[in-house]
Amino acid sequence: MVILHGSSGGREEALGRSPNKSVSTRARPRPPALWTMQDVVQWFQRHCGDLGERYSHLFHQNNVNGRILLRMNVSALERMGIIVSEHREEIFREILKLKFKSDILELQDLERQTGLGMPQTKK
């Protein structure tokens, strides 16, 4: 799912850098923590296939927004009404992948803002 917000130009200007000199001017996906309930349902339907179709109404009924989604675990999915353990595990795997991707993007943004990169290891 690609939920976009503005390019990095405004952020670069706020940091005193020229937006034309930024490494990438592509729009970044909106962080999942800022997703609305509708965004979550869309993501769920796209990334969880048949399970998305089968259970998306539960995410809607429980008003699951992005912040709530990122805090969910297998027990929370069961409390929502997803009783088949294999379904819960598959959905939770997708949530974990989303968290991981989101964390990577956030770290990359922090590195760009501070001008620090990850230290290179010597081989």
Side-chain angles (χ1 to χ4, degrees):
M1 166 179 227
V2 179
I3 300 173
L4 301 177
H5 68 282
S7 73
S8 62
R11 225 182 357 228
E12 295 295 318
E13 289 171 336
L15 294 171
R17 301 180 194 144
S18 169
N20 296 334
K21 294 182 181 179
S22 68
V23 175
S24 173
T25 56
R26 293 184 317 176
R28 295 290 253 173
R30 187 162 39 131
L34 302 178
W35 288 0
T36 65
M37 180 182 53
Q38 291 81 11
D39 296 331
V40 169
V41 170
Q42 273 187 330
W43 170 85
F44 184 59
Q45 290 174 337
R46 287 183 182 168
H47 290 272
C48 295
D50 292 339
L51 297 179
E53 292 299 319
R54 184 172 183 174
Y55 296 116
S56 63
H57 70 282
L58 295 175
F59 282 74
H60 187 66
Q61 286 174 356
N62 287 278
N63 297 315
V64 176
N65 62 24
R67 207 162 113 178
I68 293 169
L69 179 70
L70 294 174
R71 293 180 176 177
M72 292 193 105
N73 57 32
V74 175
S75 297
L77 293 170
E78 185 174 17
R79 285 190 306 271
M80 278 178 46
I82 302 171
I83 56 173
V84 179
S85 64
E86 292 83 11
H87 294 179
R88 287 193 306 270
E89 290 168 8
E90 186 175 334
I91 292 166
F92 187 59
R93 255 192 314 277
E94 289 299 321
I95 293 170
L96 287 176
K97 287 194 281 187
L98 175 66
K99 286 181 189 180
F100 184 67
K101 289 175 187 177
S102 178
D103 288 347
I104 288 173
L105 289 174
E106 188 175 337
L107 285 171
Q108 289 172 342
D109 286 345
L110 286 171
E111 288 172 358
R112 273 190 217 94
Q113 290 174 1
T114 61
L116 301 175
M118 295 296 286
Q120 298 292 321
T121 57
K122 294 183 181 180
K123 294 184 180 183

